[in-house]
Amino acid sequence: MHRLFLIDTFSLLFQVFHAIPPMTGPKGEPTNAVFGFTRDLKQILANNKPSHVVVCMESEGDGARSETYADYKANRDEMPADLRTQIPLALEVAAAYGLPVISHPGWEADDVFATLATRAAASDEFDEVAIVTSDKDARQLLGPKVRLFNCRTHQYYDTDKLAGDWGVTPDRVTDFQGLVGDSTDNIPGVPKVGPKAAAALLEQFGTLDAVLEAAAADKIEKSRVLTKPVRENLKTHAESARVSRKLATLETDLPIDLDWADAEAGHADAGTLREIFERLGFKRFAEEAREGGDVPGTPDASPPPETTDGEIDWEVVDSPAAFDEFVKELKKQDKVCVDLETTDTAPAAADIVGWAVCWSAGTAYYLPVDGPPGSSVLDGDEVLKVLGGVLSSPDVTVTNQNLKYDAVVLARHGVEVANYGVDPMVGDYLLSAGERSHGLDALALRHLDRTLIKIDSLIGKGKQQKKMFEVEVDAAAEYAAEDAAVAWKLADVIEAKLRDEDLWDLYWDLERPLIPVLVGMETKGIRVDVPELEKQSEKLTARLEELEHEAHRLAGKPFNLGSPKQLREIFFDEMGLPVLKRTKTGPSTDAEVLERLANDASIDAEKRALPQAIAEHRVLAKLKGTYLDALPKLVNERTGNIHTSFSQVVAATGRLSSSEPNLQNIPIRTEEGRQIRKAFVPSEDGWTLLCADYSQIELRVLAHFCGDAALVEAFKEGRDIHRAVAADVFGVDEADVTADQRAIAKTVNFGVIYGQTAYGLSTTLGIPQDEAGAFIDQYKATFSGVTGFIAETLEEVRRTGVAKTILGRRRQIDGIRPNPHGSMTMPERTAFNTVIQGSAADLIKRAMIAVDRRLRDEDHPARLLLQIHDELVFEVPEELADDLATSVREDMSGALELSVPVVVDVGTGATWFDAK
């Protein structure tokens, strides 16, 4: 069966751009629309199995319809810049799939697919034609062979559904639209004539011309839908109806030269697809293209060579004699790669199953200390003692992929690594901060063009997944030895690239010495007061029940507060609240929508109360589930503490991230969120927590870079920066700045760093958008040094393709416009944010290293426990708290020399809440 799919490209791109949250590629370019387009295209090809596909596009500039009606589509906003930059990428994807992209000068994609659908339906070439579009104009093309296809619902739309929706046949669709119009395209139609009236008129009179003739002759009888205003408007707006019909009529005979053979599906270039997907950071798509599973029948990409430097020789060391020989050779080495196989992905809870060791290219050893019953394994304590002595020697440098994990496991077993070498994961992150993955599989593919043994092939997945000690020793040895040997090779490759790209000092002097600091933090963990969490959970449970009852009362009936479908019905159908955003399933009720509905002063206070109650319920329910109920389950039975994991390779700006659990994300804007910090306490009696927090460090970094006289002076004089900015912008004395003015200034101060728009500011503060825009304009005029620095930064990034921090950290950025105007695009926001936030990240990392070094040198008992972006949390004996405060303040404020003072606020207390 020959089945032709015609794709309305802009229709798909607009849908997915607004439906999928913002995404960025490795170089900071927006990718959500091209990701969604690719996903839809893949699903069409895989699930619908078309024999032919054509990608239909708009032509540039005004088209023929604008000549007919100057205001055609005049109500549409300018295409978002972050969407416009993705169009060429989407077309590049289509071309890699071997699909023709067709447009015609002066005409829209609708006219292209109308022409092709009409031509295909009239030929014997095709049994079916499907048009992938959400445009209602396309309904005029429906017929025995032609249907519309909805990518969101995966359903077809045919003549029966048209009759049910509009009560007309396809040949009357344009007449119907001439009467009703189309607000999407600014087609006027006839005022007061809705779908029911239009259907009734066409059913009675047959055509639009007959309807208009009847109206002119007063032959339309009054009915419930054909009211007097409707009948009068049919007379006075007859010409509007005819123009509207013409605008809605698609051109079906454009001179498009297309050989159907050129549209045959199944000719994708898997190699090119893989290159595109890797460039855009679509890891799963890239893997599918590599494995030949991207499109059924698509030729596979040429398989990569298994390795670039021969096979790996591996040896199992599983007897005392073999172990003795191994140790003799090991003790001759001054650099080794050690990769541990363990029982748990959480290092603070992991026991060692085996040691993979490599010290020369292509050769690795596996020392099993646990395995299935009957396996030949070494004595774990003896191996730990001997290898621990080697790794803790100041004469040996240790390297491995994700070295921090192994170091935490070793620390848990009493071994402290003395010298850290190259961690390929961290080094690759410095080379390509925007890449989505810096895991060993990704690095082996990226730098060695090698595919590694998958862990799933050893331990399986899901409920049947094995523990590593249940895997046969030889299988475990082959897997582990390959990891160690590849990590060893990668360390050399990455080091060379770091040196070539002037990033070696950043790695060696900042990221490398930070690893043992993080090892110490993760090994120690932080104590939580479980009864306090349980008490707060009970309190929130009661409040959630109150909110649920209140929501039911406000809605006038019981309903599921977690059901978007029920919320849509209540909000928009029953209460008539305004629809602010749409998703593929209908009007959105997400957190942003709830917040806007809850704070929109134009909505009646009684109606606002329901979204307010639901918004509060959502926040508290998340708080309860994510922290109050989850944290007690994460307490390590051995230490009694929670051990979060800090990663150096997640945030592209250079910031550390926290996971399992994420302690950097505990909410502080609500009182209930702040209360959670009461559960974090010192691990010993007579100790206290100490918090040291940089004051407005990102704004100080901004002032340092831009040199704006007003900002620099305000910081040097120790003034309240938000009050100072408000005074300058509003033209009042600082003493006369109101709380509202300071709040606006604070939001804009930080918003500048993130490229906040007038829309974003108006939403955040609940003020009119024009007022927000005026304030931003005034801010830029007043603080011209900031505006100039933004322009200089964006121009440098556009010219070099790289955003740099104060210590030379880099992030590749594409998509900076030659002459940025209006709101920043995503790449522009990303570029500027990288410079400011990344420099602040450099600063606190330096501070952490300095503080840790001082504590070690002085043999101070204090322990660094957490880093929460600009804040460090310690535990310390109460009598030494003042001493620690002085040291920490010195090390943090002196970590980097800025042109403005670096201020550190320090507090102590029995809980994190009290110290903060």
Side-chain angles (χ1 to χ4, degrees):
M1 174 182 287
H2 280 192
R3 175 184 292 160
L4 169 66
F5 266 65
L6 302 168
I7 296 177
D8 184 353
T9 309
F10 271 17
S11 175
L12 277 192
L13 286 172
F14 271 101
Q15 287 177 37
V16 294
F17 177 77
H18 292 290
I20 299 175
M23 295 169 56
T24 56
K27 295 185 178 181
E29 70 276 37
T31 58
N32 62 330
V34 67
F35 175 85
F37 175 82
T38 303
R39 183 186 60 191
D40 287 342
L41 189 56
K42 285 166 63 69
Q43 289 176 344
I44 288 169
L45 292 168
N47 299 336
N48 301 88
K49 296 180 172 51
S51 60
H52 297 71
V53 180
V54 178
V55 176
C56 305
M57 271 293 294
E58 313 286 304
S59 65
E60 293 288 338
D62 294 335
R65 289 180 180 81
S66 295
E67 297 175 6
T68 301
Y69 182 58
D71 289 334
Y72 178 65
K73 293 189 177 181
N75 59 334
R76 291 194 179 183
D77 294 332
E78 183 180 355
M79 183 186 296
D82 287 341
L83 172 56
R84 185 177 297 279
T85 60
Q86 297 185 65
I87 294 172
L89 296 174
L91 300 184
E92 188 179 357
V93 169
Y97 273 104
L99 307 177
V101 177
I102 304 296
S103 63
H104 193 75
W107 295 92
E108 300 174 53
D110 304 36
D111 303 293
V112 173
F113 65 63
T115 294
L116 296 178
T118 302
R119 187 184 301 174
S123 75
D124 295 329
E125 181 85 18
F126 298 103
D127 304 287
E128 293 182 14
V129 178
I131 305 171
V132 183
T133 186
S134 60
D135 198 326
K136 294 177 181 178
D137 289 355
R139 296 180 179 186
Q140 63 194 268
L141 303 171
L142 294 171
K145 284 187 178 181
V146 180
R147 296 182 294 174
L148 310 184
F149 181 71
N150 188 320
C151 268
R152 308 282 76 80
T153 64
H154 306 290
Q155 293 180 337
Y156 289 94
Y157 191 95
D158 56 17
T159 54
D160 290 340
K161 290 185 177 179
L162 173 64
D165 284 349
W166 282 358
V168 298
T169 53
D171 61 327
R172 290 291 170 258
V173 164
T174 56
D175 287 348
F176 181 92
Q177 291 179 291
L179 290 166
V180 175
D182 186 346
S183 59
T184 302
D185 291 339
N186 205 36
I187 296 176
V190 177
K192 303 290 185 183
V193 175
K196 290 183 179 179
L201 289 166
L202 292 173
E203 183 178 9
Q204 181 178 356
F205 297 102
T207 67
L208 174 63
D209 291 329
V211 169
L212 297 178
E213 288 175 9
D218 292 323
K219 292 182 179 179
I220 299 178
E221 297 181 3
K222 181 180 179 181
S223 69
R224 184 175 60 84
V225 294
L226 302 178
T227 61
K228 182 177 180 181
V230 167
R231 300 196 309 277
E232 288 300 317
N233 285 344
L234 287 168
K235 292 181 184 179
T236 57
H237 295 277
E239 186 56 30
S240 175
R242 295 186 181 97
V243 169
S244 297
R245 176 177 58 185
K246 184 176 181 180
L247 293 172
T249 301
L250 300 181
E251 176 57 60
T252 59
D253 194 26
L254 293 175
I256 294 174
D257 183 16
L258 174 67
D259 188 329
W260 291 124
D262 294 335
E264 288 182 356
H267 296 289
D269 183 336
T272 301
L273 284 170
R274 174 186 147 207
E275 184 278 321
I276 294 171
F277 296 152
E278 287 177 346
R279 173 164 33 102
L280 297 178
F282 300 162
K283 182 181 177 183
R284 178 167 56 84
F285 292 168
E287 288 176 353
E288 291 170 349
R290 167 177 285 276
E291 294 166 3
D294 196 67
V295 182
T298 299
D300 295 355
S302 299
E306 279 301 301
T307 181
T308 57
D309 55 354
E311 293 301 315
I312 291 171
D313 293 326
W314 53 274
E315 180 181 331
V316 179
V317 180
D318 60 356
S319 69
F323 181 59
D324 289 342
E325 290 300 315
F326 167 83
V327 171
K328 287 179 185 177
E329 292 301 314
L330 174 64
K331 288 185 175 180
K332 297 176 183 178
Q333 312 306 321
D334 58 6
K335 185 172 76 170
V336 297
C337 176
V338 175
D339 183 55
L340 300 177
E341 297 305 323
T342 65
T343 58
D344 203 305
T345 55
D351 290 318
I352 301 173
V353 174
W355 303 63
V357 184
C358 176
W359 58 73
S360 63
T363 302
Y365 303 87
Y366 183 67
L367 286 62
V369 296
D370 198 355
S375 300
S376 177
V377 299
L378 299 173
D379 179 84
D381 291 339
E382 178 64 18
V383 174
L384 179 66
K385 178 182 177 181
V386 175
L387 268 65
V390 172
L391 300 180
S392 58
S393 167
D395 299 324
V396 176
T397 297
V398 182
T399 185
N400 191 28
Q401 169 80 5
N402 193 11
L403 186 50
K404 176 170 66 68
Y405 173 88
D406 300 277
V408 174
V409 175
L410 290 168
R412 159 170 154 63
H413 290 80
V415 176
E416 182 175 354
V417 174
N419 287 325
Y420 290 77
V422 174
D423 182 336
M425 179 178 74
V426 179
D428 183 72
Y429 165 77
L430 294 182
L431 293 167
S432 307
E435 289 287 351
R436 296 190 186 281
S437 175
H438 304 278
L440 190 63
D441 286 348
L443 266 59
L445 199 57
R446 192 179 306 148
H447 297 288
L448 306 179
D449 205 16
R450 180 186 183 106
T451 302
L452 303 183
I453 299 169
K454 303 294 185 186
I455 185 64
D456 294 346
S457 68
L458 269 70
I459 62 176
K461 295 181 179 180
K463 295 180 180 179
Q464 304 302 316
Q465 189 177 79
K466 299 178 182 178
K467 291 288 189 180
M468 201 64 187
F469 60 77
E470 297 174 311
V471 175
E472 292 298 327
V473 168
D474 278 357
E478 182 181 18
Y479 168 79
E482 181 183 49
D483 279 3
V486 168
W488 174 270
K489 175 65 175 176
L490 282 169
D492 288 342
V493 172
I494 296 294
E495 177 176 341
K497 291 186 176 183
L498 288 170
R499 292 183 183 278
D500 287 345
E501 300 191 27
D502 294 326
L503 290 168
W504 178 249
D505 289 346
L506 182 65
Y507 174 78
W508 195 254
D509 297 332
L510 186 73
E511 296 295 347
R512 182 192 63 89
L514 184 65
I515 297 173
V517 179
L518 300 178
V519 169
M521 294 164 65
E522 293 186 22
T523 303
K524 296 179 187 90
I526 187 168
R527 183 66 50 89
V528 292
D529 182 347
V530 172
E532 173 65 23
L533 291 170
E534 291 171 344
K535 183 179 73 173
Q536 291 188 30
S537 181
E538 290 174 5
K539 185 177 179 181
L540 250 60
T541 298
R543 177 58 181 156
L544 287 168
E545 290 176 356
E546 290 176 6
L547 288 168
E548 186 172 25
H549 292 316
E550 177 67 5
H552 291 168
R553 184 190 68 79
L554 292 167
K557 64 180 182 181
F559 66 98
N560 180 359
L561 273 64
S563 168
K565 181 175 183 294
Q566 293 183 41
L567 281 181
R568 284 197 294 268
E569 291 172 355
I570 294 170
F571 280 4
F572 309 117
D573 297 341
E574 298 174 16
M575 296 177 62
L577 292 173
V579 175
L580 303 178
K581 191 164 66 172
R582 290 186 177 275
T583 68
K584 62 182 181 181
T585 56
S588 172
T589 57
D590 66 13
E592 179 192 355
V593 169
L594 283 178
E595 186 74 18
R596 290 169 62 187
L597 291 174
N599 295 293
D600 189 342
S602 67
I603 299 174
D604 182 74
E606 189 173 337
K607 288 187 175 182
R608 291 205 309 269
L610 182 56
Q612 287 169 353
I614 294 171
E616 183 182 353
H617 189 280
R618 280 191 188 173
V619 170
L620 298 185
K622 183 176 181 180
L623 212 59
K624 182 176 182 296
T626 305
Y627 296 104
L628 298 179
D629 295 342
L631 290 178
K633 300 173 185 176
L634 298 175
V635 174
N636 185 294
E637 293 181 1
R638 184 179 59 84
T639 67
N641 291 348
I642 283 179
H643 300 263
T644 187
S645 176
F646 290 99
S647 176
Q648 296 165 265
V649 301
V650 172
T653 58
R655 271 187 166 189
L656 292 177
S657 66
S658 165
S659 62
E660 299 178 8
N662 183 354
L663 298 183
Q664 293 181 332
N665 213 29
I666 296 177
I668 57 173
R669 293 185 179 180
T670 64
E671 183 58 30
E672 293 85 358
R674 288 190 292 271
Q675 290 292 315
I676 294 175
R677 295 190 174 200
K678 286 185 176 179
F680 291 82
V681 296
S683 61
E684 299 186 41
D685 292 337
W687 286 51
T688 188
L689 293 184
L690 181 146
C691 295
D693 194 355
Y694 280 117
S695 172
Q696 301 165 342
I697 190 61
E698 291 182 2
L699 290 177
R700 293 175 192 270
V701 169
L702 173 63
H704 168 79
F705 276 127
C706 75
D708 184 272
L711 278 184
V712 171
E713 182 183 11
F715 277 124
K716 285 185 174 180
E717 294 178 356
R719 289 150 57 198
D720 179 332
I721 191 65
H722 304 310
R723 186 173 294 278
V725 168
D728 284 340
V729 172
F730 288 108
V732 299
D733 292 334
E734 285 188 31
D736 296 328
V737 170
T738 66
D740 287 344
Q741 289 172 332
R742 185 183 182 279
I744 292 174
K746 180 178 180 179
T747 303
V748 173
N749 273 333
F750 289 113
V752 164
I753 298 171
Y754 302 102
Q756 188 173 46
T757 63
Y759 170 78
L761 181 62
S762 69
T763 301
T764 301
L765 296 176
I767 61 176
Q769 190 167 329
D770 57 351
E771 184 180 328
F775 187 89
I776 291 176
D777 291 341
Q778 184 59 42
Y779 177 96
K780 290 179 177 179
T782 304
F783 298 98
S784 57
V786 174
T787 307
F789 175 64
I790 292 173
E792 291 169 8
T793 301
L794 296 183
E795 173 55 27
E796 181 178 355
V797 176
R798 188 191 70 80
R799 182 173 51 81
T800 64
V802 172
K804 292 184 179 180
T805 69
I806 197 168
L807 291 184
R809 184 184 307 278
R810 307 179 331 184
R811 183 178 183 184
Q812 294 176 308
I813 306 285
D814 280 348
I816 308 295
R817 295 171 293 176
N819 295 295
H821 59 278
S823 299
M824 287 189 195
T825 62
M826 183 179 290
E828 289 158 5
R829 292 192 299 272
T830 300
F832 193 69
N833 180 236
T834 295
V835 173
I836 302 300
Q837 193 179 92
S839 295
D842 290 348
L843 174 67
I844 197 164
K845 285 180 175 180
R846 265 206 175 179
M848 293 171 70
I849 294 167
V851 169
D852 182 77
R853 184 179 295 122
R854 184 192 290 236
L855 293 179
R856 287 175 179 269
D857 291 346
E858 298 178 357
D859 198 22
H860 200 291
R863 303 160 186 151
L864 174 58
L865 304 179
L866 297 176
Q867 189 253 49
I868 312 296
H869 301 314
D870 303 333
E871 173 188 2
L872 299 181
V873 180
F874 301 81
E875 63 178 6
V876 59
E878 291 178 0
E879 67 273 13
L880 296 177
D882 290 343
D883 170 61
L884 179 65
T886 300
S887 299
V888 168
R889 190 178 276 113
E890 286 179 2
D891 290 334
M892 290 180 69
S893 61
L896 280 173
E897 186 174 344
L898 302 184
S899 60
V900 296
V902 175
V903 176
V904 180
D905 298 322
V906 178
T908 60
T911 71
W912 188 7
F913 179 90
D914 298 324
K916 185 64 175 173

